[in-house]
Amino acid sequence: MTTLLTVVAFGTAFWLVVVGAYGILRSDDLVHAVVSLSVAQSGTYILLLAVGYQRDATIPILGAGGAGSTPIVDPVVQAMTLTDVVVSATVTALLLALTVQIAKRHGTVDPDALRELRG
Amino acid sequence: MTTLSPVGVVAGPIVVAALLLVCGRWLPRPVVDGVAILTTAAVGVSGAFLTPGAVTAGGWPAGVGIPLVVDGASRVLVTLVGTLATVALLFSWRYFSDVEAHFQGLVLLFVAGLGGFALSGDLFDMLVFFELMGACGFALAAYKIEEARSLQGGLTFGIVNSLGAYLTLCGIGLLYARTGTLGLAPLGAAHLPADTATVAAFVLVSTGWLVKAAVVPFHFWLADAHAVAPTPVCVLFSGVMAPLGVYGLARVHAVVFGALDVTVALTVLGLVTAVLGAVMCVLQRNVKRLLAYSTIAHIGTFVVAVAVSSPEASAGWLTDVVGHAGVKGALFLLVGVLLARHGSVDEIELGGSCRRSRGIAALMALGGLALAGLPPFGSALGKGLIEQAVPVPVAVVLTLVAVLTGAAVLRVALRLVGIGPLPADRADDVRTTGEGEERETRRLERLPVTMLAGPVLLLGGSLAVGLLTPGVLGAAGTALVDGAGYRDLVLGGVPPTTPPAEVAWSASGLVVGTAAAVVAVLLALGAVYAGRLPTVLRRRVPRQNRAVLGLERLHSGHVGDYVAWVFVGITALGALVLLG
């Protein structure tokens, strides 16, 4: 069943991935490029959560009724999203650290000005 | 020893890495090195003793729990990971003079990521291990944080690979939405039809693996990362990390997307990769970049073999992966030796530097011959098997590609001993030179034995694969293309009964391989003496034609360009799968 909410969620996910990638493409600042990468990744969060969404379902914490007593949203995609957030934090931190070091060594954070590697 | 859990192969290196990172600053250097080497060696040895089967986490039943799966292919890859990491760490025993256990810790985590990726039987878990090896890889590529180039290479590697991983995650999300499962075997049991949605999921899931494998046009980051990473790390990057991308593609296609016919798409991508890699390889003067492009060329060959997806082709490319890893690893370590002794990785600067130490140049020449396909190296055995499995015109192109990559290495070896005149050292504005590469050691007058042992061991290993023609590689090849067998193994616990593909030399393989090696030598001599050719002949060989220059300009080093190419690649792959 395709509801308006599903369309909006999948559309937003697609938009975020594409706009994030476009941000890296047109970036003139490495900090901006790294943040754009995070934007692209946010698209994957929305996609995953949209996949697990169910109308009128609650959070996946089972109460006294036990499994099956109330409809819950899919906990697997939530676990995947959390894993993804952890990975994102690590990678973003690492890339920003590299950017700081690039600013020290190259004297610039403009990707257009990094001309050391080519050919 | 009846059962050896694959969990240890992944968890062991992580635990040891954590301990070394905490205690490393108080421990003497030899203890840190020793512990790290023992751990990676244990990973390599255990690869051989793992019993086929699936182990699920938390005792969940098969099909529900997240499994680590040992089969023919993953055993071979785990052994390869452990062996290469051991040699790389042995080499760096005296290589980095001032490390504080960070390096060994990172290598161990990297090994856990590589091994986990090969063993995982769950799509999301594969992605997690992919990210683990990615993050360690970015840090290892940019390990020389005082060096401008190294930082740029590491950052490009990080951004392009992470984006690839996120697109893979989107594909995994689509698959989960459709099937409600993440395990490879249950996904295969869902028997996805060959419709557009399946193609979209396949293309997105494959993007990450293709980026890691450096298949054109996803390949741009690889040369930058390999050119700047410390040489022992390059051994792991070229030897197993990139081939594991191809493994991911082959595994996921065979088990999950068996309904899709991707023969045309992968053959086209593979051939373009092989040819572009070979051309770029010949053009390089930075020897590490030269070897990196040579890896891309060989990856192209592997992808063509995956496209065929017969047990013989599969056994062929896995044999080639093992043989190639030995040879390419040895070559990278030799470049490391040259860097330690002469402070440069530039072909022209290094010209004549090995006049007194011909052994190094001889080993390098041997590596070049093995890349071209000289029997009885393992790389030649694998290449022969692949060439028999593909159509003749494709086999001719693949042979020529191998010849070119071999000839480029032979050219370097000839120049090292001072054969032939050196070209004028012109200022390069489109090409990365090998000057100004930071030393990774104190200046070494005498080479420590651990540094020479590495290349010799690796070349010997490649030779041994060719001489012994081990049957495990045949079994690995069969296991990798047998999607139904994999499902039975994971869901039913039934080991596969299909007979392993035969891994043996053929007469044509021996003849073609030897001829290829001879042609490579002639080409290398021709390249070295090109300046002395009569003018009439020389005019026929354009030194810088526009197409080539354009090709070099495409490799701009700009991360935005590389991201654009990723999307071009996704579109191309999708179109090829739909039309092919």
Side-chain angles (χ1 to χ4, degrees), chain B residues 458-550:
Chain B
L458 287 176
L459 274 177
S462 183
L463 208 56
V465 168
L467 290 174
L468 300 174
T469 61
V472 286
L473 289 168
T478 312
L480 192 52
V481 290
D482 186 6
Y486 187 84
R487 287 200 292 276
D488 292 343
L489 179 69
V490 177
L491 299 176
V494 190
T497 47
T498 24
E502 198 190 353
V503 175
W505 290 97
S506 65
S508 66
L510 288 170
V511 173
V512 171
T514 315
V518 173
V519 175
V521 173
L522 293 178
L523 277 179
L525 282 170
V528 166
Y529 283 108
R532 296 235 176 112
L533 289 176
T535 335
V536 188
L537 269 177
R538 229 186 318 176
R539 267 201 209 120
R540 302 257 168 122
V541 193
R543 289 207 63 82
Q544 268 303 12
N545 76 39
R546 259 156 207 257
V548 167
L549 204 59

Side-chain angles (χ1 to χ4, degrees), chain A residues 74 84 105-106 112 118-119, chain B residues 146 169 176 289 429 432 558:
Chain A
D74 191 342
D84 209 17
R105 292 293 143 193
H106 286 264
D112 296 317
R118 62 188 122 154
Chain B
E146 298 302 318
L169 184 58
Y176 183 74
R289 261 178 109 80
D429 64 334
T432 305
H558 192 290

Side-chain angles (χ1 to χ4, degrees), chain A residues 10 13 17-18 20-22 24-28 30 33-34 36-38 40-45 47-48 51-52 74-77 79-81 83-84 87-92 94-106 110-119, chain B residues 124 127-128 131 134-136 138-139 142 145-156 158-160 162-163 166-167 169-174 176-177 182 223-225 227-228 280 284 289 293 429-433 552-553 555-565 567:
Chain A
F10 278 90
V17 171
V18 171
Y22 185 74
I24 306 173
L25 210 107
R26 297 289 308 221
S27 181
D28 56 5
L30 286 174
V34 174
S36 297
L37 187 67
S38 300
Q41 190 175 20
S42 316
T44 65
Y45 305 154
L47 177 81
L48 289 175
V51 164
D74 191 342
V76 173
V77 288
M80 286 165 75
T81 310
T83 314
D84 209 17
V87 170
S88 161
T90 316
V91 171
T92 308
L94 184 59
L95 293 180
L96 286 176
L98 288 180
T99 308
V100 170
Q101 202 65 24
I102 284 180
K104 280 187 197 156
R105 292 293 143 193
H106 286 264
D110 183 355
D112 296 317
L114 302 177
R115 307 304 286 165
E116 284 273 340
L117 290 167
R118 62 188 122 154
Chain B
F124 186 68
L127 183 77
V128 172
E131 298 264 26
C136 299
F138 315 151
I145 54 164
E146 298 302 318
E147 200 177 303
R149 265 182 202 176
S150 162
L151 294 164
Q152 189 191 341
L155 189 87
T156 311
I159 291 182
V160 177
S162 301
L163 190 71
Y166 302 156
L167 290 166
L169 184 58
C170 290
I172 295 174
L174 293 183
Y176 183 74
L182 292 166
D224 292 356
V228 298
M280 291 301 294
Q284 299 306 313
R289 261 178 109 80
Y293 280 112
D429 64 334
V430 290
R431 212 171 284 170
T432 305
T433 64
E552 287 189 272
R553 291 239 161 93
H555 295 75
S556 58
H558 192 290
V559 64
D561 295 356
Y562 294 1
V563 167
W565 280 109
F567 283 87

Side-chain angles (χ1 to χ4, degrees), chain B residues 194-196 198-200 202-203 206 253 260-266 269 570-580:
Chain B
D195 57 10
T196 321
T198 310
V199 172
F202 171 74
V203 170
S206 303
H253 176 255
L260 288 183
D261 181 12
V262 294
T263 313
V264 176
L266 291 187
L269 282 188
I570 292 174
T571 318
L573 178 63
L576 281 168
V577 175
L578 283 174
L579 299 176

Side-chain angles (χ1 to χ4, degrees), chain B residues 299-336:
Chain B
I299 290 288
T301 311
F302 303 158
V303 172
V304 171
V306 171
V308 178
S309 78
S310 71
E312 290 76 25
S314 182
W317 81 260
L318 283 172
T319 308
D320 201 1
V321 164
V322 178
H324 168 263
V327 174
K328 194 53 67 66
L331 287 171
F332 268 117
L333 293 185
L334 288 168
V335 175

